[in-house]
Amino acid sequence: MRRLLFLWLAALVLLGGAAQAATDEYGVATGQVERWGTYEIALDGPRDGNPFLDVDLAATFRQGLREIAVDGFYDGDGRYKIRFMPDTVGQWEYTTRSNRPALNAKTGRFTVVAPARGNHGPVAVHNTFHFAYADGTPFWQVGTTSYAWLHQSAQSQEQTLQTLAGAPFNKLRMAIFPNNDVPLPDQRFPFVGTPPHNWDFERFDPAFFRNLDRRVAQLRDKGIEADLILFHPYDKGKWGFDRMPGAVNDRYLRYVIARLAAYRNVWWSMANEFDLMKEKRMDEWDHYFKLVQAGDPYGHLRSIHHSVRLYNYTQPWVTHASLQQGAAVEDPERAVIYRDVYEKPVVFDEVKYEGNIDRRWGQLTAEEMVLRFWNGAIAGSYVGHSEIFKDTDSRSWLGKGGTLRGRSAPRIAFFRKILEQSPQEGLEPIDKWQEHPFAGRHAEYYLGYFNRARPTAWPFVLFKTGLQDGMRFRAEVIDTWNMTVTPVDGIFTIRKRDDYTFADQDGRAIALPGRPYMAVRIIRVR
Amino acid sequence: MRRLLFLWLAALVLLGGAAQAATDEYGVATGQVERWGTYEIALDGPRDGNPFLDVDLAATFRQGLREIAVDGFYDGDGRYKIRFMPDTVGQWEYTTRSNRPALNAKTGRFTVVAPARGNHGPVAVHNTFHFAYADGTPFWQVGTTSYAWLHQSAQSQEQTLQTLAGAPFNKLRMAIFPNNDVPLPDQRFPFVGTPPHNWDFERFDPAFFRNLDRRVAQLRDKGIEADLILFHPYDKGKWGFDRMPGAVNDRYLRYVIARLAAYRNVWWSMANEFDLMKEKRMDEWDHYFKLVQAGDPYGHLRSIHHSVRLYNYTQPWVTHASLQQGAAVEDPERAVIYRDVYEKPVVFDEVKYEGNIDRRWGQLTAEEMVLRFWNGAIAGSYVGHSEIFKDTDSRSWLGKGGTLRGRSAPRIAFFRKILEQSPQEGLEPIDKWQEHPFAGRHAEYYLGYFNRARPTAWPFVLFKTGLQDGMRFRAEVIDTWNMTVTPVDGIFTIRKRDDYTFADQDGRAIALPGRPYMAVRIIRVR
């Protein structure tokens, strides 16, 4: 029976491979589609009046007893679209609903096949403090930020994608609205109109959003999550996108969801530095969160990024904390506090930036940038990078994307490799609140990081949880800056030392080179 | 006009002083009463059946258009009482309500006079992160804990009170239920019955609660807030008070409120280490919080103390965070995170204890205990003390009260003096998240603490907020361990130094002795 099941599963996988769904230039499929791919229905409909306001369009997707309702959107030129991300293989069918006959009661069916290699589904919270893709593969968040790369020239956008292809980052924070202090050679905007102030807030510009779709799909195909920043304060009234009426904000959010929720790599960041948007009250943010939560059929990750004042991340509609704090990740005992408080994954999306500008948030050395990733990991949390170097056309990677000049990225790549070798459950602090800079999994795996200290030895002593006399471990010394992993000779056999710790039975220590940024990794041997 | 008002106020104060209300041995007044004193109505009523269950008793207190409803309680021997804490001077009147005629529709009136010296009213949240008495006097929380001092011999209880009279603490955390690991020579319990298991959970023991009343009043008269721990896990099934049915818990809370809410120095701590009480679910704690919030007419401070898992202190029924964290107050940049997150006062009620026991939570040196108070203050938060020394009958001050043996208390007294000289608004971090260990009030008052570092000088450099060229300051060097305050010669005149700081115009620094635990205080001169 088990053997039959296995054969059946194997056949299914083969079929999935063979039935590889084609995608168009926006990364969406219209024939059959892979699991967690984007299936699209395209319909011709009315061009009269204002289709963005006058036409309601939705579809219900069904498989067996499951029904999922999805909103459609107007894509300009009389074209309407409905996008859907199926989360199971097999036959699906749909029926459209509209207040216009041309779009109403259209039905269809399609086949969902197994995901192609590299498609692990959307990322969700895993094991309280961590992330995993829908197929169970851990997602070790190693982020970066480039606010307005989408608003640069096509050539610059391509360059950014090329840079990301060779960079260690698996999540990119990016804004939908432009930044007032970043040049905009592209001059495309989410609304129809003429900059700076002459906008028709009742008509989206499909050309802008088609480019957004395409870029999100390209990130997806590179294995990069797109953390879409839905609002931000960097407009400063230049175009007024930071102070649109509430009804416009609602419509904008629904349009973004209808277009983009069916891309598996989307995360929703309600805002960057929300507390600097003085036009909005706290309860408006709650409202936008709830709107996105209700409107997104797939439950993509939702958070909000702050400047000084924190949002209440304990709210049930927040999936993880997206924090700005440069000092917390200088010390795991600081960083872990946010985990304790929120009982959710903690992502330090902004920890100051590598760079050389005058502002103190943009002058980290590469060493200090990398150190923050390590401390974040030891606290069982996640960190984001960016860089900002003095530049003739301002803001470099942080603002515009393009190329990376900093020296942190290769070390972050090394860091990510170590991270991905950690236990699937995620790195958990081993003995928090005790000045013990180790994370891992009790009795199995320990990663210790010595931060700026320059120890010449680390006595082989482990915190007691899960340990027993006679357990055996091997060890490696990791130079996080010079990117080396050096195995330590021999096996360490432990014995209870006191009420709290076990130590190597021969009292051995591991020699360290007296340099900063060193780590050790201890792995159980059976 | 203003002069007349002044004379009228002066007369009122004189009257208040002259009309000093007498209090009985339980610290309550039955004739006239001072503002924020405890007025008591005593009535004779039925002794038949079970008065705790069968008799409903309440009173409505009225002054002008204000009405305050207060529950009464049965005090044994056919005596019923209703206690009330008036918050305004002048005439008040009351009417009782009961399901028993002997207690129903009793009316009376009484006069509330100005508070006596030392009576500042109940403590409430002030300026988001701080505390103040009802009359506006800041309350600088300097706490200690003695769980089961109430369960010791009368002689020991008197000794504890005597110790407190000479100690620096203005808040005492104390449990109503006994601790299984602390000897109980007194053998009085909140319920009628026979230990260990034969309790009548439908009958309180008034004798136990009369002693509690009296002790709370005695603390009040010493200027000490009684942080009453309503539940705790240290029963461990010995008597079963940690696992009573929900209905019993509710009745117990109502009884405690009826007896004690009218004492102005009461704080409600829903539990100690609530998360170790595995019998209770999180939503039960929410329920008890809401019950206490609804039942207490005066809105006394409400929090809950944890072991590892935090309660959600952002809940609206929580007035402040009552935390256990020894490491957070080793570093103000850790401690301040809790403030950021909760936007409420943060009290580190348990930061490990001064002592010499084997457990690592009870082996702080006095130096480390005192250091935690200072770091807490620099983070704009508050700290609690206790001590536990190896002892023939266990747990010493932490468990039983009695005398203090540690060396931290005198330094905490010195700390409290410095604290009380700080701006009334409370100490606020000057430049948090920037490794800048200063708190105070911009451009007025700066308190810097150098922790375990041993600096030999502090360059006179202040963070920019509120500063202007030419402002003048005087400085003092504070040795927090040796308890000295040494004025620094001369006046420091500041000039802008860079984008973030102002410095002494002559580039001067303040000499420091190269010892740990040093502080500086900088005060504006006009």
Side-chain angles (χ1 to χ4, degrees):
Chain A
M1 185 65 194
R2 184 166 291 180
R3 191 192 166 111
L4 270 175
L5 181 68
F6 172 80
L7 286 171
W8 184 82
L9 284 172
L12 207 79
V13 169
L14 283 171
L15 182 71
Q20 200 57 249
T23 58
D24 68 10
E25 63 173 318
Y26 308 114
V28 300
T30 48
Q32 64 182 17
V33 64
E34 62 185 68
R35 187 181 183 192
W36 304 306
T38 304
Y39 181 78
E40 184 176 277
I41 306 166
L43 299 167
D44 289 318
R47 293 163 184 260
D48 58 311
N50 182 350
F52 293 104
L53 293 183
D54 305 341
V55 179
D56 298 331
L57 175 62
T60 300
F61 290 82
R62 278 182 304 275
Q63 186 184 50
L65 294 174
R66 279 184 82 200
E67 291 201 347
I68 299 172
V70 172
D71 284 337
F73 62 93
Y74 183 57
D75 198 30
D77 305 322
R79 293 293 280 173
Y80 292 81
K81 290 179 174 175
I82 303 166
R83 289 179 182 160
F84 177 61
M85 180 182 76
D87 60 359
T88 53
V89 297
Q91 287 291 313
W92 283 80
E93 52 182 43
Y94 65 83
T95 309
T96 68
R97 275 172 315 178
S98 176
N99 58 351
R100 297 302 181 98
L103 301 170
N104 191 41
K106 304 290 175 192
T107 60
R109 54 171 60 216
F110 56 98
T111 303
V112 179
V113 299
R117 189 182 156 80
N119 170 2
H120 302 287
V123 173
V125 173
H126 174 64
N127 200 14
T128 306
F129 296 110
H130 305 283
F131 299 106
Y133 294 100
D135 74 352
T137 306
F139 175 73
W140 300 96
Q141 197 275 171
V142 175
T144 189
T145 297
S146 181
Y147 293 128
W149 75 280
L150 211 68
H151 298 270
Q152 308 310 307
S153 68
Q155 187 188 358
S156 168
Q157 293 177 42
E158 293 298 332
Q159 191 184 39
T160 301
L161 287 165
Q162 209 175 330
T163 300
L164 286 167
F169 308 112
N170 57 17
K171 195 194 75 180
L172 176 64
R173 289 175 55 72
M174 53 188 275
I176 295 180
F177 292 117
N179 274 35
N180 87 85
D181 56 354
V182 176
L184 298 184
D186 193 49
Q187 290 289 320
R188 276 184 295 197
F189 295 92
F191 293 96
V192 169
T194 320
H197 292 302
N198 189 22
W199 303 113
D200 182 351
F201 282 145
E202 297 189 338
R203 287 176 196 268
F204 300 102
D205 183 348
F208 172 86
F209 282 99
R210 278 183 219 129
N211 186 57
L212 173 58
D213 298 347
R214 191 159 68 104
R215 297 315 187 186
V216 168
Q218 287 172 310
L219 292 172
R220 175 193 68 192
D221 296 342
K222 289 183 165 47
I224 298 171
E225 303 292 302
D227 198 356
L228 295 177
I229 298 168
L230 299 168
F231 296 102
H232 66 67
Y234 316 126
D235 186 304
K236 297 195 176 169
K238 179 164 180 179
W239 304 288
F241 302 133
D242 57 346
R243 54 202 70 182
M244 303 185 297
V248 174
N249 292 334
D250 287 2
R251 203 159 48 232
Y252 156 73
L253 290 174
R254 288 200 194 94
Y255 192 74
V256 170
I257 292 167
R259 290 198 78 108
L260 285 152
Y263 291 78
R264 66 176 170 272
N265 61 321
V266 161
W267 297 27
W268 307 120
S269 178
M270 298 310 307
N272 220 68
E273 298 197 311
F274 82 94
D275 49 324
L276 300 187
M277 300 186 77
K278 302 300 182 194
E279 296 80 13
K280 290 189 176 53
R281 298 184 318 273
M282 196 61 102
D283 61 350
E284 287 183 72
W285 293 113
D286 298 349
H287 163 78
Y288 297 133
F289 258 114
K290 287 186 236 179
L291 187 154
V292 170
Q293 182 181 33
D296 169 6
Y298 317 108
H300 288 291
L301 291 162
R302 291 176 302 273
S303 194
I304 187 167
H305 167 277
H306 67 107
S307 172
V308 172
R309 186 174 181 199
L310 289 158
Y311 187 78
N312 184 352
Y313 297 97
T314 69
Q315 297 287 18
W317 46 81
V318 180
T319 56
H320 64 288
S322 166
L323 302 176
Q324 169 166 193
Q325 235 271 44
V329 276
E330 290 185 68
D331 169 10
E333 299 277 24
R334 295 179 189 165
V336 78
I337 293 171
Y338 292 100
R339 267 178 47 123
D340 292 343
V341 162
Y342 295 129
E343 296 188 334
K344 292 178 184 181
V346 171
V347 184
F348 293 95
D349 273 308
E350 190 171 343
V351 295
K352 303 184 177 177
Y353 302 122
E354 183 178 0
N356 62 1
I357 64 166
D358 294 335
R359 307 293 295 172
R360 61 189 184 181
W361 52 261
Q363 47 187 230
L364 288 186
T365 61
E367 287 84 348
E368 283 289 320
M369 183 87 243
V370 176
L371 168 150
R372 282 160 169 73
F373 276 84
W374 280 88
N375 281 318
I378 298 300
S381 63
Y382 299 91
V383 177
H385 151 281
S386 197
E387 58 172 54
I388 177 161
F389 288 89
K390 280 175 187 166
D391 192 1
T392 48
D393 56 357
S394 94
R395 301 254 146 173
S396 54
W397 178 260
L398 176 64
K400 305 181 320 246
T403 55
L404 289 166
R405 314 183 197 178
R407 295 179 306 137
S408 67
R411 278 83 184 184
I412 295 170
F414 175 79
F415 162 79
R416 181 174 164 186
K417 229 182 286 174
I418 301 286
L419 201 60
E420 291 179 343
Q421 294 163 0
S422 304
Q424 303 261 314
E425 295 82 359
L427 288 172
E428 287 290 309
I430 291 296
D431 186 24
K432 67 180 177 182
W433 308 353
Q434 309 296 337
E435 315 291 341
H436 183 69
F438 280 75
R441 195 173 177 215
H442 295 293
E444 295 296 335
Y445 184 98
Y446 300 84
L447 190 61
Y449 178 61
F450 303 111
N451 218 331
R452 301 183 190 107
R454 300 163 181 264
T456 53
W458 175 72
F460 195 99
V461 178
L462 301 174
F463 181 67
K464 65 179 176 181
T465 304
L467 299 184
Q468 287 173 18
D469 282 356
M471 283 181 172
R472 300 163 70 239
F473 295 88
R474 63 185 174 84
E476 293 159 327
V477 172
I478 299 172
D479 184 327
T480 70
W481 182 252
N482 295 306
M483 299 178 279
T484 59
V485 178
T486 310
V488 177
D489 285 343
I491 295 291
F492 296 84
T493 304
I494 58 166
R495 194 151 55 189
K496 191 175 193 313
R497 192 179 71 148
D498 56 32
D499 277 357
Y500 292 101
T501 58
F502 284 66
D504 175 66
Q505 64 182 12
D506 301 321
R508 277 179 301 169
I510 292 175
L512 294 167
R515 291 194 299 272
Y517 321 127
M518 299 302 295
V520 292
R521 182 160 59 173
I522 314 297
I523 300 172
R524 177 89 169 273
V525 178
R526 285 169 197 274
Chain B
M1 185 63 191
R2 186 167 290 183
R3 190 193 168 107
L4 270 175
L5 181 67
F6 173 78
L7 285 171
W8 184 83
L9 283 172
L12 208 78
V13 169
L14 282 171
L15 183 70
Q20 198 60 248
T23 58
D24 68 10
E25 61 174 317
Y26 308 113
V28 301
T30 48
Q32 64 182 13
V33 65
E34 63 186 69
R35 188 182 183 192
W36 302 309
T38 303
Y39 181 76
E40 183 174 278
I41 306 165
L43 299 166
D44 289 318
R47 294 164 184 255
D48 60 310
N50 182 348
F52 294 104
L53 294 184
D54 304 341
V55 180
D56 299 331
L57 176 63
T60 300
F61 290 83
R62 280 182 303 275
Q63 186 185 50
L65 292 174
R66 278 184 83 201
E67 291 201 347
I68 299 173
V70 172
D71 284 336
F73 63 92
Y74 183 56
D75 198 30
D77 305 323
R79 295 291 280 172
Y80 292 81
K81 292 180 172 173
I82 303 165
R83 289 178 181 160
F84 177 60
M85 180 181 78
D87 60 359
T88 54
V89 297
Q91 286 291 311
W92 283 80
E93 52 183 38
Y94 65 83
T95 309
T96 68
R97 276 171 315 180
S98 177
N99 58 350
R100 295 303 179 98
L103 302 170
N104 191 43
K106 304 289 176 193
T107 62
R109 55 171 60 216
F110 57 96
T111 303
V112 178
V113 300
R117 187 181 158 81
N119 170 2
H120 301 288
V123 173
V125 172
H126 174 65
N127 200 14
T128 306
F129 296 109
H130 304 282
F131 300 106
Y133 294 100
D135 74 352
T137 305
F139 175 73
W140 301 96
Q141 197 275 173
V142 175
T144 188
T145 297
S146 182
Y147 292 128
W149 74 281
L150 210 69
H151 297 270
Q152 307 311 305
S153 67
Q155 188 189 355
S156 167
Q157 293 177 40
E158 292 298 333
Q159 190 186 39
T160 301
L161 287 165
Q162 210 176 330
T163 299
L164 286 167
F169 309 111
N170 57 18
K171 194 194 75 178
L172 175 64
R173 289 175 55 71
M174 53 189 275
I176 295 180
F177 291 117
N179 274 36
N180 86 85
D181 57 353
V182 176
L184 298 184
D186 193 47
Q187 291 290 319
R188 274 185 295 196
F189 295 92
F191 292 96
V192 168
T194 319
H197 291 303
N198 189 22
W199 303 112
D200 183 350
F201 282 146
E202 297 188 338
R203 289 176 194 269
F204 299 103
D205 183 349
F208 173 86
F209 281 99
R210 279 185 217 128
N211 185 59
L212 172 59
D213 298 347
R214 191 157 69 102
R215 298 314 187 187
V216 168
Q218 287 172 311
L219 292 172
R220 175 193 68 194
D221 296 341
K222 290 182 164 48
I224 298 171
E225 303 292 300
D227 198 355
L228 296 177
I229 297 168
L230 298 168
F231 296 102
H232 66 66
Y234 316 126
D235 185 304
K236 298 196 175 168
K238 180 165 178 179
W239 303 288
F241 302 134
D242 57 345
R243 56 202 68 183
M244 303 186 296
V248 174
N249 291 334
D250 286 3
R251 202 159 50 231
Y252 156 74
L253 290 173
R254 290 201 192 93
Y255 192 74
V256 170
I257 292 166
R259 290 199 77 110
L260 285 152
Y263 291 79
R264 67 177 169 273
N265 60 321
V266 161
W267 298 25
W268 306 120
S269 178
M270 298 310 306
N272 219 68
E273 299 197 311
F274 83 92
D275 50 325
L276 300 188
M277 301 186 76
K278 301 300 181 193
E279 297 80 13
K280 291 189 176 51
R281 298 185 317 272
M282 196 60 102
D283 61 350
E284 287 183 70
W285 293 112
D286 298 349
H287 163 78
Y288 298 133
F289 258 113
K290 288 185 233 179
L291 187 154
V292 170
Q293 182 180 34
D296 168 7
Y298 317 107
H300 287 290
L301 292 162
R302 289 177 302 275
S303 194
I304 188 167
H305 168 279
H306 67 107
S307 172
V308 172
R309 186 174 181 198
L310 289 157
Y311 187 78
N312 185 351
Y313 297 97
T314 70
Q315 297 287 17
W317 47 80
V318 179
T319 56
H320 64 288
S322 166
L323 303 177
Q324 168 167 194
Q325 236 272 44
V329 277
E330 291 185 68
D331 170 9
E333 299 277 24
R334 294 178 190 166
V336 79
I337 292 172
Y338 292 99
R339 265 178 50 122
D340 292 343
V341 163
Y342 295 129
E343 296 188 335
K344 294 178 183 180
V346 171
V347 183
F348 293 95
D349 273 307
E350 189 171 343
V351 294
K352 302 184 178 177
Y353 302 121
E354 184 180 0
N356 63 1
I357 64 166
D358 295 334
R359 307 293 296 170
R360 59 189 184 182
W361 51 262
Q363 47 188 230
L364 289 185
T365 61
E367 286 85 348
E368 283 289 320
M369 181 87 243
V370 175
L371 168 150
R372 282 160 171 73
F373 276 83
W374 280 89
N375 280 319
I378 297 301
S381 64
Y382 299 91
V383 177
H385 151 280
S386 196
E387 57 172 53
I388 178 161
F389 288 89
K390 280 175 188 167
D391 191 2
T392 48
D393 56 356
S394 95
R395 301 253 148 173
S396 54
W397 177 260
L398 175 64
K400 304 181 322 254
T403 55
L404 289 166
R405 315 182 195 179
R407 295 179 306 137
S408 67
R411 278 82 184 185
I412 295 171
F414 174 80
F415 162 79
R416 181 173 164 186
K417 230 182 285 174
I418 301 285
L419 201 62
E420 291 179 345
Q421 293 163 2
S422 304
Q424 303 262 315
E425 296 83 356
L427 288 172
E428 286 290 308
I430 290 296
D431 186 24
K432 66 180 178 183
W433 307 353
Q434 308 298 336
E435 315 291 340
H436 183 70
F438 281 75
R441 195 173 176 213
H442 294 293
E444 295 296 335
Y445 184 98
Y446 299 85
L447 190 61
Y449 178 62
F450 302 112
N451 218 332
R452 301 183 190 107
R454 300 163 181 265
T456 53
W458 175 72
F460 195 100
V461 178
L462 301 175
F463 181 67
K464 65 179 176 181
T465 304
L467 299 184
Q468 288 174 17
D469 282 356
M471 283 182 173
R472 300 163 70 240
F473 295 88
R474 63 186 173 85
E476 293 159 327
V477 172
I478 299 173
D479 184 328
T480 70
W481 181 252
N482 294 306
M483 299 178 278
T484 60
V485 178
T486 311
V488 177
D489 285 344
I491 294 290
F492 296 84
T493 303
I494 59 166
R495 194 151 55 191
K496 190 174 193 314
R497 192 179 71 146
D498 57 32
D499 277 356
Y500 293 102
T501 58
F502 285 66
D504 175 65
Q505 64 182 10
D506 301 320
R508 277 178 300 169
I510 291 174
L512 293 167
R515 288 194 300 272
Y517 319 127
M518 299 301 297
V520 292
R521 183 160 58 174
I522 314 296
I523 300 172
R524 176 88 171 273
V525 178
R526 286 168 195 276

